[in-house]
Amino acid sequence: MTFRDIFSLPEFRALYLSGLVNIIGDYLSRAAVTALVYQQSQSVLLSAASFAITYVPWLFGPLLSALADRYPYRLTMIASDLVRMVLIAVLLVPGLPTAVILVLLFVAGLAAPPARSARSALLPLLVGRDGVALAVATNQTSNQAAQVIGYMAGATLAVALTPRIALGIDVLTFALSAALVAFGIRRRPTTVARSERTHLLRETSEGFQAVFGDRVLRSITIVVYTVTVFAIVPEGLAAAWAAEGTPNPEAQAFDQGMIMAAGPLGFVIGGILFNRFVPAARRVRLIPVLAVIVPLLLVPTVVSPPAVIVGLLVMLGGLAQGALLPTLNATFVLALPQSFRARGFGVVNSGMQLAQFSAVMVTGWLADHFRLPLVVGLWSIGGTVVMLLAAIFWPRPVEFAEAADRAAAADQPGAAPPAREPTTSVTRKPS
């Protein structure tokens, strides 16, 4: 399947565009609010907290994502967009205290887990199993490009005008996203029939069991968590990093936007090149190598290079992520039965968001007490060591194929629930 094939599908185009406008609005407002808090408080920790507040709702992500398997994916996405549109619109009221703004952002963020999980679970139904890898790569690469636009525009608006303009744009993106889904995607039944429902907590637990009870899914999840822990730090600390480098406000805005946008820009380049020129089987074999490269590239920040060098290192790390994460995502989709996809993605996305939140908060606290470049450099050294250990115990390629076959068999009408691997599978020798 080619790019032309997947974009010839009207429903995929609607899903793709709705996600794209959502990402632009979210990251535009995130960059603006992060800069505003740092300008007011001059605290790295509070600036990091304003960046990280949108990750906190993912603490409830697995539970909220279970709703996406209970209700039609289309309805879940529309309802989530409309809820967030209304709550973000309240932020446009003048004079709201910073604390109230952060609370509203948190509450609005509770609608993100079911929406994102429904979007991920719906994708294979639109493009088929053969088109999943290309569709995932297209979505993730485009989303990173949208982050570049959002970050640069948000940082600029925060200095030149007001963050409320960015929030107003975010409101419009939610309205447009809901309209695209409502008019561009047809109704489908739920993947879990009402007669098969038990209890939301039990269904959430089944999502954890589906992910962590399988060696392949478990390995993918651990690597995704670890990559995000060590790759997100430059973005979260960008405002403070830029302020340390120059007293000029315009230069600070440029440096902040450059550092925040460098990773997504690299992701776009890596995603396009890797998925265009590297065969699928080789992509899977290169996963352990790419996983080690991501944190390794940020180790030189320990010597306090100028902002342009930081941006270059972050971009190279983003390039490695662009090669790595779409491959992991597509492999995860194919190894997970349809009836567990929303819950499985809820588990992974929640872990990613909470890992990012923890990483930004911890490094933000450390940077309030030690030199920021030293913190990032030592953090990256730790990440390189962890990734080396993950690479040693990475599953063999044949295990990925077996997991995909099990999931495909489970998706057949009348199939029994997929059997998980026996616990003795964890003793297999690494490749």
Side-chain angles (χ1 to χ4, degrees):
M1 184 170 280
T2 65
F3 286 107
R4 178 177 295 179
D5 293 330
I6 61 173
F7 278 105
S8 68
L9 303 172
E11 289 187 295
F12 174 77
R13 291 199 302 270
L15 187 71
Y16 171 82
L17 290 173
S18 71
L20 204 60
V21 296
N22 246 320
I23 291 291
I24 291 175
D26 282 350
Y27 281 86
L28 189 151
S29 61
R30 182 179 295 186
V33 172
T34 300
L36 175 65
V37 171
Y38 185 77
Q39 291 167 9
Q40 292 178 342
S41 66
Q42 295 299 303
S43 169
V44 180
L45 180 59
L46 288 178
S47 176
S50 68
F51 179 87
I53 193 69
T54 54
Y55 296 120
V56 180
W58 287 92
L59 182 64
F60 311 99
L63 182 67
L64 295 169
S65 295
L67 294 172
D69 276 331
R70 282 192 164 202
Y71 300 100
Y73 298 143
R74 175 179 174 274
L75 177 62
T76 300
M77 289 185 289
I78 294 172
S80 298
D81 279 342
L82 294 179
V83 167
R84 286 181 287 180
M85 180 189 72
V86 171
L87 290 172
I88 297 300
V90 177
L91 297 180
L92 300 177
V93 176
L96 286 178
T98 300
V100 174
I101 292 175
L102 294 180
V103 169
L104 286 170
L105 286 173
F106 166 75
V107 177
L110 292 173
R116 186 173 298 185
S117 296
R119 187 180 300 276
S120 299
L122 179 62
L123 188 62
L125 300 180
L126 303 185
V127 301
R129 296 181 68 86
D130 292 341
V132 165
L134 186 59
V136 167
T138 301
N139 277 341
Q140 289 196 306
T141 301
S142 299
N143 287 348
Q144 295 295 319
Q147 287 186 36
V148 175
I149 297 171
Y151 273 150
M152 293 301 291
T156 301
L157 286 172
V159 174
L161 298 171
T162 170
R164 282 188 172 79
I165 292 180
L167 294 172
I169 296 174
D170 199 16
V171 170
L172 295 177
T173 62
F174 284 128
L176 179 57
S177 175
L180 286 166
V181 173
F183 296 105
I185 297 176
R186 65 178 177 85
R187 293 179 175 87
R188 287 178 172 81
T190 60
T191 57
V192 178
R194 184 177 294 273
S195 60
E196 298 175 354
R197 297 177 188 172
T198 54
H199 187 281
L200 194 59
L201 289 175
R202 181 174 178 179
E203 292 168 13
T204 302
S205 175
E206 290 172 350
F208 279 96
Q209 293 172 12
V211 172
F212 291 103
D214 182 280
R215 171 171 160 79
V216 167
L217 294 174
R218 183 173 60 247
S219 299
I220 292 172
T221 302
I222 291 172
V223 168
V224 169
Y225 286 174
T226 309
V227 166
T228 56
V229 163
F230 295 98
I232 193 62
V233 171
E235 292 181 27
L237 304 183
W241 211 332
E244 287 189 5
T246 175
N248 185 295
E250 288 77 16
Q252 287 180 22
F254 177 81
D255 288 348
Q256 179 197 350
M258 176 184 63
I259 294 172
M260 296 183 87
L265 178 61
F267 193 109
V268 171
I269 297 171
I272 293 174
L273 295 180
F274 197 73
N275 288 280
R276 174 66 179 83
F277 296 108
V278 180
R282 187 173 298 173
R283 293 179 215 155
V284 175
R285 290 196 296 269
L286 287 174
I287 288 175
V289 177
L290 293 167
V292 175
I293 288 175
V294 171
L296 182 63
L297 283 167
L298 290 175
V299 171
T301 59
V302 74
V303 298
S304 303
V308 65
I309 300 299
V310 173
L312 177 61
L313 293 173
V314 173
M315 186 182 72
L316 292 174
L319 192 149
Q321 291 179 67
L324 172 67
L325 292 180
T327 302
L328 287 173
N329 196 327
T331 305
F332 186 88
V333 171
L334 295 176
L336 193 63
Q338 182 65 47
S339 59
F340 288 95
R341 279 189 182 140
R343 283 171 284 176
F345 274 103
V347 170
V348 175
N349 283 328
S350 298
M352 287 175 58
Q353 303 297 329
L354 293 174
Q356 290 176 328
F357 169 79
S358 302
V360 171
M361 292 302 294
V362 170
T363 53
W365 179 83
L366 290 172
D368 262 345
H369 296 81
F370 305 96
R371 289 190 308 108
L372 193 153
L374 177 65
V375 170
V376 177
L378 294 179
W379 187 260
S380 302
I381 291 173
T384 302
V385 173
V386 172
M387 281 305 194
L388 283 171
L389 293 174
I392 292 173
F393 295 100
W394 190 246
R396 295 170 297 164
V398 66
E399 295 179 73
F400 290 100
E402 291 171 352
D405 290 342
R406 287 196 300 271
D411 287 341
Q412 297 302 314
R420 311 320 303 165
E421 288 187 303
T423 55
T424 53
S425 66
V426 298
T427 62
R428 292 178 183 172
K429 294 181 180 180
S431 57

